[in-house]
Amino acid sequence: MRSSLRCGANGHRRGIRLSKNKANCYTSGVLIKKLFFILSILILVFLGFQQRWYDTLSGDLRNVYFPLAQTHLPGISIYPPGANLFFMLLPSNNLQIFQWAFIIVNILLLIIIAKLTKKPALLALIILAAGPILLFRFDLLVMLLVVVAIISFQRNNFYLSAVFLGIATITKLFPIILLPYFLFTLNRRKILPYLLFFILPIAVISLIYSLVTGQDLLTILNKANGAFTVSVHVESVMATVLTTITAVTNPGPHGLLFKDALWSLDPLYFLGHARIFKFITPIVIAVTYFLIYLKQKTFEVRVCLLIILTLIISSQLLSPQYVVWPAILFLLIDKPGRLNIILILLILFLTQLIYPLNYGEFLDFYNKGINLPLFLILAARNLTLVILTLRLFVNVISSMNNRANDIRRQSRMAVYKKCRTSIVKYLYNKIYALYPFRNYI
């Protein structure tokens, strides 16, 4: 008896030790991930001030963001009102102070994203692959707003989600592409209130910007519409396809157009005027939405990621910071898959190789017909983007089909059980009615 008690006590102590060891291992793992995240930010800041990165990346901050923070002249800004108000809120007395404030805000945004998504290690890998461009652009602000909108929607805080999605849209226009998906996964009674809460911050921020700068709302809307009238940007998937076709049909160096601070293909040499390509994006997005609408009735982050990727690969405009958008959304997916993570990290790394590290040399491929390997690197980046989008599309559609089959199977089982129960009850009542001694029971 005593020996059995000793064995039980020893087993209990052993179990306590094992649970403590597991807890210590878990704590150590969390600490290592957090330290890796902090180290990635330190590396990011260090690289950001190295000449090879800084000279190219700081151009927009010096020549665009800083003047917008100082002057409020009508027609000076190409950005939506939310972005302009963000620049104006930063200290603008001195360029160095403004620059450090901008960088510190982006570091804080990275920390908040890590807290919300609870994946500091994956975010650290994204930071290292993307490079210092994260510190010199305001896309992290927009993605934080989108992340909060998605998390709020998942927690059934629909109207809070609408507010944050509206703020994100008035800061940078692309989040509006997610609005239809948010709407058709909602209950019909909540669609109109959601739209009202989405429009409210857009109207308020536009009005504040109009009062501060003296611009009328029509001018602001015209600027926003200008974002959709760009020609084919040299880094886009569309440009890679056109360049490859042109290299076969009309080989030789062809010049580029520099307009609105963007290098674009010259329509004189690349399959006629670029206006015909404006219809590709809405058609591709419409087809994607149609397929999603037929299959998907519940909200999933993967579908948001698919919509953003579809926008990126079909758009005429693809700036280097745009590939950060899907990378941040990967943090919200429970099981993104190793291959998908490798693909998005490869996309970020190849983008960094082109911009900012070798951007001038890359443009020489078009202007002088040299540096073919750099064009091939960009082509590999764009091909990887397309592969990732197709993988995600197949995954989303197949999971929708599986879910639909499960629902059909469950409904058939429910009907079968109901019929079986009805038959059993019917037979029991018939047998009981024929039982001769039922009155004595």
Side-chain angles (χ1 to χ4, degrees):
M1 184 70 179
R2 290 179 180 176
S3 62
S4 63
L5 289 172
R6 286 195 201 98
C7 290
N10 291 334
H12 181 66
R13 292 193 196 98
R14 199 177 297 114
I16 292 173
R17 288 195 203 98
L18 287 172
S19 61
K20 286 183 177 178
N21 289 336
K22 287 182 180 179
N24 291 334
C25 290
Y26 175 77
T27 306
S28 301
V30 171
L31 182 61
I32 290 170
K33 290 177 181 178
K34 288 182 178 179
L35 289 174
F36 180 44
F37 173 70
I38 293 170
L39 179 63
S40 68
I41 290 180
L42 293 176
I43 293 173
L44 196 69
V45 175
F46 173 76
L47 292 177
F49 286 94
Q50 301 303 304
Q51 187 174 6
R52 197 167 180 189
W53 279 270
Y54 181 78
D55 288 349
T56 305
L57 291 175
S58 62
D60 281 2
L61 194 144
R62 289 194 314 265
N63 302 322
V64 182
Y65 304 162
F66 182 61
L68 288 176
Q70 288 184 313
T71 59
H72 307 147
L73 297 177
I76 194 171
S77 176
I78 59 172
Y79 295 106
N84 294 316
L85 288 177
F86 170 66
F87 302 145
M88 294 174 188
L89 289 173
L90 297 175
S92 57
N93 297 329
N94 180 276
L95 176 59
Q96 293 299 321
I97 295 173
F98 177 83
Q99 177 177 272
W100 275 107
F102 197 92
I103 290 171
I104 290 169
V105 168
N106 275 324
I107 291 172
L108 293 175
L109 292 173
L110 284 171
I111 294 170
I112 295 170
I113 291 171
K115 286 281 187 182
L116 289 174
T117 58
K118 299 177 182 178
K119 292 182 180 177
L122 180 56
L123 181 55
L125 291 174
I126 290 171
I127 288 169
L128 294 175
I133 193 171
L134 295 171
L135 301 179
F136 292 89
R137 300 293 184 271
F138 63 96
D139 292 72
L140 285 177
L141 172 63
V142 184
M143 286 314 301
L144 174 61
L145 294 169
V146 172
V147 165
V148 175
I150 291 173
I151 292 174
S152 300
F153 199 93
Q154 289 177 318
R155 295 176 180 175
N156 296 328
N157 295 325
F158 301 121
Y159 304 142
L160 183 65
S161 167
V163 169
F164 278 102
L165 189 64
I167 298 172
T169 301
I170 200 63
T171 305
K172 199 155 191 170
L173 296 174
F174 82 89
I176 199 172
I177 201 72
L178 298 174
L179 180 62
Y181 178 61
F182 280 72
L183 291 178
F184 69 66
T185 54
L186 275 174
N187 185 295
R188 289 184 180 179
R189 295 179 180 178
K190 295 179 179 178
I191 290 177
L192 183 58
Y194 192 93
L195 278 172
L196 292 175
F197 277 92
F198 172 78
I199 294 170
L200 181 63
I202 294 176
V204 170
I205 292 174
S206 298
L207 183 60
I208 292 172
Y209 179 71
S210 178
L211 293 173
V212 170
T213 61
Q215 296 186 39
D216 60 277
L217 294 177
L218 186 60
T219 304
I220 296 170
L221 290 174
N222 287 334
K223 285 185 208 171
N225 185 52
F228 299 100
T229 59
V230 296
S231 54
V232 180
H233 186 214
V234 71
E235 297 166 58
S236 65
V237 175
M238 205 180 296
T240 300
V241 174
L242 292 177
T243 302
T244 305
I245 295 172
T246 305
V248 176
T249 59
N250 187 17
H254 301 302
L256 298 173
L257 296 177
F258 187 74
K259 184 180 179 181
D260 296 329
L262 294 171
W263 288 99
S264 304
L265 299 184
D266 190 340
L268 181 64
Y269 299 104
F270 294 91
L271 296 182
H273 203 280
R275 287 178 181 174
I276 63 174
F277 303 110
K278 278 194 291 186
F279 300 103
I280 293 177
T281 302
I283 291 172
V284 173
I285 294 293
V287 170
T288 303
Y289 258 117
F290 178 72
L291 294 173
I292 292 170
Y293 181 76
L294 290 178
K295 300 283 186 179
Q296 182 76 5
K297 301 298 180 184
T298 57
F299 185 82
E300 286 190 19
V301 180
R302 286 183 308 166
V303 180
C304 296
L305 176 59
L306 174 62
I307 293 167
I308 294 295
L309 280 169
T310 305
L311 173 67
I312 289 174
I313 66 169
S314 64
S315 177
Q316 294 171 251
L317 178 61
L318 206 174
S319 294
Q321 63 269 24
Y322 292 4
V323 295
V324 175
W325 305 345
I328 298 298
L329 287 185
F330 261 103
L331 298 169
L332 294 175
I333 300 176
D334 292 331
K335 296 178 180 179
R338 290 184 181 178
L339 182 56
N340 288 336
I341 292 173
I342 291 171
L343 289 175
I344 194 65
L345 293 177
L346 179 62
I347 288 165
L348 293 168
F349 177 70
L350 293 177
T351 302
Q352 186 179 181
L353 281 181
I354 296 297
Y355 186 93
L357 294 179
N358 296 285
Y359 197 59
E361 293 83 353
F362 165 71
L363 294 177
D364 285 340
F365 167 76
Y366 286 93
N367 293 323
K368 300 178 182 179
I370 59 176
N371 297 330
L372 175 63
L374 292 176
F375 171 75
L376 295 177
I377 289 173
L378 183 73
R381 192 281 304 267
N382 288 339
L383 179 61
T384 310
L385 265 172
V386 173
I387 291 171
L388 178 60
T389 306
L390 292 176
R391 274 183 56 84
L392 195 64
F393 180 80
V394 171
N395 182 262
V396 167
I397 296 298
S398 62
S399 67
M400 290 175 187
N401 290 332
N402 293 337
R403 193 180 299 107
N405 292 334
D406 290 341
I407 292 171
R408 291 192 199 100
R409 195 180 300 113
Q410 289 172 5
S411 63
R412 284 197 297 266
M413 286 299 295
V415 171
Y416 168 74
K417 287 179 180 178
K418 189 175 181 180
C419 293
R420 187 181 63 181
T421 304
S422 301
I423 292 169
V424 170
K425 283 184 178 180
Y426 175 78
L427 293 174
Y428 173 79
N429 291 333
K430 285 293 183 182
I431 293 169
Y432 184 71
L434 296 172
Y435 187 63
F437 303 106
R438 63 183 183 278
N439 295 328
Y440 301 101
I441 294 176

